[in-house]
Amino acid sequence: MTSGNNGASTPEDDDPFGYLYADGQANGAQPPSGGGYGYPNSVNRVRAVGQRQYGQPTAPTAPYGQAPQQQGAYGQPNAHYAAPETLPGGAPTGRQQTQGGGGRGRGPNTKGLLIGAIAVVAAVVIGIGVAMLGGDSDDDKAGDGGATPTASQSAEPSTSPSASKAAQTELPKIDAKALNLAPGVTTASDVAGASADGGIYVTGLNNVGASVTWTVDGIPETGVYTLFAGYSVPGKDQSMTLTINGKVFGSKLNLGNFAGASEGDYAKGWTQTYAYPSLNKGSNTISLSCQDGDQCDVLLDQLWLKAGQVKR
């Protein structure tokens, strides 16, 4: 075999990329038309980044050893490829902007979310403020006496529905000198300390059969009331019989030495006691008498009534 240049068509010296160089072109090297060695036929499918149309069918794969079918001649447009400028609206000229985005891409509407969150917080704060104001108002009403006393509040005892109505009515009070006095019972003012008008009190009750009677009118409702008696004892406990509308009430009316006076000291013995009789609406008769077994050394000052069961 002779040495030398046998031409670009000699197989052993054939450079598949010879057409790229000046000496190869001088020797007649031509680019392959069917995609031969070193020149893959996929070259005519190379596209710029971002121009590929995804979702379009791709070229079928040829059997091994055979060249895949060309989708178009070299340098001709691909039937499945569309240039951006042919799309509706033309090729994009720059970065897309959202409406009112000020050059920023579409993203979460953080401004709207922030405004919504602030509105929710404001509504909660307003609701709490209204609830607190309402609670204060209720407390004020309770403090003014508009609310019913609860278990933790002190309230005077009452066993009758008439107590609330009777409390609104000025119930009677009488000085002992105005009572109906039985024979032998008299008035006096020698002992100081009596609360009745003029310091006048009833004496002479220390005899069996002695009594005083009070016919009281103006009881607003039938129910339980508190009967108070103002009196003095000579430094020792006494007791008398209480009669309500002709019936004896309880065992005895206790007239104790609650003032702690020394024996015989009437001036220091002024005090008061009470009982809880049931009275009828309208007029009632109340009597205090000295009966067998009673201790009646008592100076009687006043009698008065209050609604319900109270102690003062």
Side-chain angles (χ1 to χ4, degrees), residues 27-254:
N27 292 326
Q30 297 291 329
S33 60
Y37 175 79
Y39 197 79
N41 81 13
S42 61
V43 69
N44 64 341
R45 294 197 301 275
V46 176
R47 300 178 179 86
V49 175
Q51 296 181 357
R52 182 176 182 86
Q53 299 297 311
Y54 291 94
Q56 300 297 335
T58 58
T61 304
Y64 179 77
Q66 297 184 9
Q69 183 179 359
Q70 294 289 331
Q71 295 185 356
Y74 176 77
Q76 297 297 321
N78 192 309
H80 301 294
Y81 169 77
E85 58 271 15
T86 63
L87 298 175
T93 59
R95 187 174 183 178
Q96 294 183 353
Q97 299 179 0
T98 59
Q99 183 176 1
R104 294 179 296 176
R106 179 178 297 275
N109 190 355
T110 56
K111 183 177 181 180
L113 293 176
L114 179 59
I115 294 175
I118 293 174
V120 171
V121 172
V124 171
V125 171
I126 293 173
I128 293 174
V130 171
M132 292 179 66
L133 291 175
D136 292 341
S137 177
D138 293 340
D139 293 342
D140 292 341
K141 291 180 181 178
D144 293 338
T148 301
T150 63
S152 62
Q153 295 175 317
S154 62
E156 297 294 346
S158 177
T159 59
S160 172
S162 66
S164 59
K165 295 181 179 179
Q168 300 174 6
T169 303
E170 186 70 23
L171 295 177
K173 183 175 183 178
I174 191 169
D175 288 344
K177 64 182 180 180
L179 297 172
N180 184 11
L181 306 179
V185 178
T186 61
T187 61
S189 58
D190 300 335
V191 178
S195 297
D197 184 28
I200 300 175
Y201 53 86
V202 171
T203 187
L205 295 172
N206 195 16
N207 298 299
V208 174
S211 67
V212 294
T213 302
W214 182 21
T215 301
V216 54
D217 297 322
I219 302 301
E221 295 291 341
T222 298
V224 177
Y225 293 80
T226 302
L227 171 67
F228 289 92
Y231 66 96
S232 176
V233 293
K236 53 186 177 181
D237 296 339
Q238 304 293 304
S239 64
M240 296 183 70
T241 299
L242 176 64
T243 303
I244 305 297
N245 295 324
K247 296 181 179 180
V248 174
F249 177 78
S251 55
K252 301 293 178 180
L253 179 64
N254 182 17

